[in-house]
């Protein structure tokens, strides 16, 4: 029987400006998309003040984008996205048929099937992730030749978790993948970027995933509403029969029902939850609150 978990997710982002904003234009990537292992039952987006225009459309990777503009003076902006989703666990028996990672590189390079050919676009460098021999060498120390892609990436996931320090002060949203690799420290975004760089540098298609992670309060304590955060991990192509399989290097696990995938891209720049431009505003004060409530 497939294991399934149900969640209600509330993601609220607010800006308070020191001076009036005359115009703002933003893009949101906060709506869950129906995909393998996730079903979105409902999603509501609330924007205050009400935008003059709003448009919903898919981007190149199929992520749902809400583009909106506010054309009246304002000093406060609040975006609240409430979703209800179901997440199912991957079929472990199916993963046992995964090909060796060394064979998969050749299969993808040749484009043996339409699925292999399409996966190739995630082999190349992207805005934040360069291909480099040092990344490939780092991975080869851990990934034994002729081991299945699942076992090899699992070993690399656990090694990065052990070799890197989770430190919210070591990096920021603009830290490069190369700098995070040298520091051996950072947050989930950095862990994901480094592992993607390693796998792509070997020739393995790998995607960046943004989403949420179910957290557990300390024993005997109540869960704190709004204390959860956005999360990031990776998805590696595992052959035409299996498709994409997700791994979380920050927590040294293959993802399951505690991970709630939202958007897919090459790196963080493709799928940041909210981005835009403003005219005016002075110094903004940003506040983000995320609440992941299990419904089981």
């Amino acid at each position: 029987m497939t294991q399934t978990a149900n969640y209600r997710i509330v993601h609220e982002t607010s800006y308070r400006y020191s001076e009036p904003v005359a115009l703002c234009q933003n893009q949101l990537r906060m709506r869950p998309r129906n995909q393998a292992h996730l079903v979105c039952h409902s999603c509501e987006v609330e924007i205050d003040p009400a935008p003059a225009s709003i448009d919903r459309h898919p981007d190149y990777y199929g992520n749902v984008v809400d583009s909106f503009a506010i054309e009246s003076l304002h000093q406060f902006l609040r975006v609240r996205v409430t979703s209800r989703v179901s997440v199912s666990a991957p079929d472990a028996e199916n993963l046992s048929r995964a090909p060796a990672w060394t064979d998969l590189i050749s299969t993808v390079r040749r484009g043996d099937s339409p699925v292999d050919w399409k996966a190739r676009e995630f082999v190349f460098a992207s805005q934040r992730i360069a291909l480099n021999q040092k990344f490939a060498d780092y991975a080869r120390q851990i990934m034994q030749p002729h081991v299945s892609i699942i076992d090899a990436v699992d070993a690399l996931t656990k090694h990065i978790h052990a070799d890197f320090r989770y430190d919210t002060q070591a990096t920021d949203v603009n830290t490069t993948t190369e700098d995070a690799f040298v520091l051996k420290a950072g947050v989930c975004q950095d862990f994901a970027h480094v592992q993607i760089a390693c796998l792509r540098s070997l020739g393995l298609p790998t995607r960046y995933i943004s989403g949420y992670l179910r957290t557990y309060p300390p024993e005997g304590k109540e869960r704190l509403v709004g204390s959860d955060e956005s999360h990031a991990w990776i998805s590696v192509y595992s052959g035409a029969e299996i498709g994409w399989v997700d791994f979380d290097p920050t927590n040294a696990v293959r993802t399951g029902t505690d991970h709630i995938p939202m958007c897919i891209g090459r790196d963080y720049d493709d799928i940041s939850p909210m981005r835009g431009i403003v005219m005016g505003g002075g110094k903004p004060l940003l506040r983000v609150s995320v609440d992941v409530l299990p419904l089981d």
Side-chain angles (χ1 to χ4, degrees):
M1 178 179 292
T2 301
Q3 183 183 1
T4 302
N6 301 297
Y7 297 98
R8 177 178 179 266
I9 306 162
V10 180
H11 188 151
E12 184 170 304
T13 304
S14 64
Y15 286 91
R16 191 172 296 278
Y17 303 98
S18 61
E19 298 177 11
V21 172
L23 169 68
C24 79
Q25 295 180 333
N26 286 281
Q27 284 192 338
L28 306 179
R29 284 176 173 81
M30 296 186 190
R31 286 185 183 269
R33 51 180 284 179
N34 290 322
Q35 54 188 289
H37 312 304
L38 185 139
V39 175
C40 177
H41 301 289
S42 65
C43 181
E44 180 181 6
V45 176
E46 303 169 76
I47 303 172
D48 182 26
S53 61
I54 187 166
D55 172 67
R56 186 189 308 171
H57 61 275
D59 66 10
Y60 174 79
Y61 300 106
N63 305 307
V64 183
V65 182
D66 288 282
S67 298
F68 69 90
I70 300 174
E71 299 175 356
S72 57
L73 288 175
H74 60 282
Q75 284 189 254
F76 179 76
L77 171 62
R78 181 177 70 92
V79 176
R80 180 184 175 93
V81 182
T82 304
S83 308
R84 190 171 68 83
V85 301
S86 296
V87 182
S88 59
D91 186 347
E93 182 179 351
N94 188 41
L95 299 183
S96 66
R97 300 194 294 271
W101 69 271
T102 43
D103 295 338
L104 185 60
I105 292 172
S106 300
T107 299
V108 170
R109 187 179 294 122
R110 292 192 304 266
D112 286 354
S113 73
V115 182
D116 296 321
W117 183 263
K118 184 171 177 56
R120 286 186 64 187
E121 68 178 301
F122 290 98
V123 167
F124 303 106
S126 56
Q127 185 68 26
R128 286 178 174 254
I129 300 173
L131 306 186
N132 193 295
Q133 189 62 42
K134 65 182 178 184
F135 293 129
D137 292 342
Y138 181 86
R140 283 197 182 95
Q141 296 175 34
I142 311 304
M143 297 167 60
Q144 298 299 314
H146 312 301
V147 171
S148 82
I149 181 66
I150 303 300
D151 292 340
V153 177
D154 185 61
L156 180 62
T157 300
K158 292 174 179 175
H159 182 78
I160 290 174
H161 171 79
D163 197 29
F164 283 64
R165 183 179 77 258
Y166 186 85
D167 185 347
T168 58
Q169 303 301 313
T171 59
D172 59 37
V173 71
N174 295 313
T175 299
T176 67
T177 303
E178 288 81 0
D179 286 346
F181 184 74
V182 171
L183 288 170
K184 295 288 193 297
V187 294
C188 59
Q189 172 185 301
D190 304 300
F191 280 56
H193 281 161
V194 166
Q195 187 168 18
I196 292 171
C198 290
L199 294 172
R200 286 187 191 163
S201 294
L202 291 173
L204 293 166
T206 315
R207 309 186 298 195
Y208 183 97
I209 308 295
S210 69
Y212 303 103
L213 178 65
R214 175 179 181 172
T215 57
Y216 296 85
E219 186 175 354
K221 300 290 186 180
E222 293 288 333
R223 62 180 300 275
L224 300 176
V225 175
S227 64
D228 298 310
E229 296 180 347
S230 297
H231 195 49
W233 57 94
I234 74 155
S235 186
V236 63
Y237 180 66
S238 302
E241 182 179 356
I242 294 174
W244 297 87
V245 180
D246 294 6
F247 295 83
D248 179 357
T250 308
N251 293 290
V253 296
R254 196 175 74 232
T255 67
T257 56
D258 286 344
H259 290 74
I260 307 163
M262 298 289 285
C263 294
I264 294 166
R266 296 166 301 173
D267 56 38
Y268 175 81
D269 278 0
D270 283 339
I271 52 178
S272 55
M274 182 171 174
R275 70 175 67 176
I277 58 173
V278 299
M279 293 181 60
K283 294 183 178 179
L285 177 63
L286 170 65
R287 180 179 180 274
V288 178
S289 171
V290 177
D291 185 42
V292 178
L293 175 65
L295 299 178
D296 303 311

